[in-house]
Amino acid sequence: MPQRHVLPLTPVGEEPRLRADAVRNRARLLAAAARLADEHGVERLTMDAVATAAEVGKGTVFRRFGDRIGLLQALLDHVEARFQSGFLEGEPPLGPGAPARERLHAFGPAALRHDAAHRELYLAAEGKPERRFVTPSVRLRHTHLAMLLSSAGVQSTGGDPELLAHTLLSFVDSALTSHLTAQRGLPLERLETGWADLVDRLLG
């Protein structure tokens, strides 16, 4: 079985290890941001509001997260970590212990339902197109799917696991699923069925 690579759950540009006081400050800022997002919605979350709620200067928030998108992505990392624990360490078929094909089938519905529960945050945290693909959460999902595709033997039919993993990720893209469910009125179950069909077509 291919070696599993786990990517760090830190925003792009964030140092991988922080001093103890920096860790506490970051946790305090994220707690304030999460509270404000719950109370007023993600769209109204600003760097000024977080600084006021955490009782720090606005410069402190900018130094820690860079900009509003960096702050939102840090919040997203916290939410994403719970989903990641499911497909990296959870029970099969989503987690280890099931054949790769079964894990691929389980991943799509789990991702669709998780993202739907946090769609406002996922959409707000996307930022510029060139930035979205290098965020740790997207990179980890891509690495995981590429390894499952490789384990399922997609190369035997001439498939490229790395490129096909991007195809699968595009299917559960938050902007697309929001359009399909909110604007087109498609039920989530139809998307889950579509995911299963796509996996089977890719694997042959």
Side-chain angles (χ1 to χ4, degrees):
M1 182 176 180
Q3 183 180 0
R4 188 171 67 195
H5 302 282
V6 180
L7 299 176
L9 302 181
T10 52
V12 175
E14 185 79 24
E15 61 269 32
R17 294 184 181 180
L18 303 175
R19 300 188 313 274
D21 60 337
V23 171
R24 288 192 296 270
N25 288 338
R26 186 173 188 273
R28 179 182 176 188
L29 292 169
L30 284 176
R35 185 173 67 253
L36 290 171
D38 287 341
E39 293 174 355
H40 306 292
V42 173
E43 290 300 324
R44 300 182 63 183
L45 185 65
T46 66
M47 305 292 268
D48 283 334
V50 173
T52 300
E55 298 180 341
V56 301
K58 186 169 66 172
T60 299
V61 185
F62 277 97
R63 282 193 298 273
R64 178 52 53 211
F65 301 109
D67 56 19
R68 182 174 181 273
I69 294 298
L71 171 64
L72 292 174
Q73 288 178 343
L75 273 179
L76 185 59
D77 276 347
H78 176 70
V79 170
E80 181 76 9
R82 286 176 287 180
F83 175 57
Q84 290 168 350
S85 67
F87 67 75
L88 291 176
E89 305 169 334
E91 296 295 320
L94 180 62
R101 179 185 286 265
E102 291 184 22
R103 296 187 69 189
L104 283 166
H105 272 284
F107 183 91
L112 286 167
R113 292 184 179 277
H114 171 81
D115 292 2
H118 305 282
R119 181 159 294 147
E120 185 182 4
L121 177 57
Y122 275 89
L123 292 175
E126 283 190 346
K128 297 179 180 179
E130 65 271 18
R131 187 171 177 173
R132 65 190 297 194
F133 296 108
V134 296
T135 57
S137 60
V138 173
R139 289 165 55 204
L140 180 54
R141 288 190 183 196
H142 176 265
T143 299
H144 178 69
L145 289 173
M147 288 191 296
L148 289 181
L149 286 166
S150 181
S151 296
V154 74
Q155 297 99 319
S156 65
T157 58
D160 184 323
E162 184 173 356
L163 294 180
L164 292 177
H166 281 297
T167 299
L168 289 175
L169 279 180
S170 67
F171 190 93
V172 294
D173 176 76
S174 296
L176 174 62
T177 58
S178 177
H179 166 70
L180 292 175
T181 56
Q183 296 178 292
R184 294 286 306 281
L186 273 62
L188 207 57
E189 290 78 11
R190 182 173 173 183
L191 301 187
E192 294 174 5
T193 299
W195 170 274
D197 179 57
L198 178 58
V199 168
D200 286 340
R201 290 175 185 273
L202 291 179
L203 297 181

